[in-house]
Structure formats: structure tokens, C-alpha cells
Amino acid sequence: MADAAQNVMVSKLAEPSDHVMEMLPVQSSNIQSVGYDPETRTMRVAFKGGTEYEYPCTLPDEHQALINAPSIGKHLYEYHIKPGAAFMRVK
């Protein structure tokens, strides 16, 4: 599964967003903070291990659904990673 996600990550995006996003801390065992830029519709997720990923083409209500989910990590996986949504590692 990880290989398929990496293929999506590499093939669908080339450059990270150059917009500065405010990162808000979240209650999660694996995710440290989440940011969103409504101008570019880009969501950024920072993991506690130090890596960060961007998810372009994220609608505002998709971002809010992630923030409000009972399990942020599970929601991220189910609605952004598993379906093959575009993303890229930025840090």
C-alpha cells in the first residue's frame, strides 16, 4: 500500500506550496499539527516524527472534517491517502 501512495505522491505533484500556513496543534497520537491555505486549497499535515505532507485540492469542509474527526489519523488515511488523493512530502 505504501508503494502505491508513494507513486501518487511523486506522479501528481512537483512543487510544495510556497504559501505560509498557520499550523494548529491537534490531539492525535501520530499527527502534531494541521494547516490549511484556503487561497490555494492546500492542507499541510505535520507528523510527530518530523515529516510534513501537503494535500492540494482540499476543500474547506474536507479540512474541517479532518480537524473535527474523532481520530484524525484514521480520517486522514481513509479520506486522503487510501483513495489515492494527490499529496507530497515537503519535509
Side-chain angles (χ1 to χ4, degrees), residues 48-69:
K48 290 186 176 176
T51 58
E52 292 184 12
Y53 290 85
E54 284 192 350
Y55 300 83
C57 306
T58 302
L59 298 174
D61 23 333
E62 292 173 329
H63 168 251
Q64 279 302 316
L66 177 73
I67 296 296
N68 296 326

Side-chain angles (χ1 to χ4, degrees), residues 20-67:
V20 176
M21 285 180 222
E22 179 182 1
M23 300 295 288
L24 302 173
V26 294
Q27 293 292 322
S28 171
S29 61
N30 198 25
I31 297 171
Q32 180 176 346
S33 58
V34 176
Y36 184 71
D37 180 356
E39 194 174 311
T40 63
R41 291 189 172 181
T42 301
M43 180 172 67
R44 181 176 287 185
V45 177
F47 289 85
K48 290 186 176 176
T51 58
E52 292 184 12
Y53 290 85
E54 284 192 350
Y55 300 83
C57 306
T58 302
L59 298 174
D61 23 333
E62 292 173 329
H63 168 251
Q64 279 302 316
L66 177 73
I67 296 296

Side-chain angles (χ1 to χ4, degrees), residues 74-90:
K74 182 177 179 180
H75 185 92
L76 180 69
Y77 178 75
E78 289 293 321
Y79 293 97
H80 296 278
I81 297 171
K82 185 179 177 181
F87 66 93
M88 74 176 300
R89 184 176 176 169
V90 294

Side-chain angles (χ1 to χ4, degrees), residues 12-23:
K12 290 189 178 180
L13 288 177
E15 297 293 325
S17 169
D18 59 357
H19 290 261
V20 176
M21 285 180 222
E22 179 182 1
M23 300 295 288

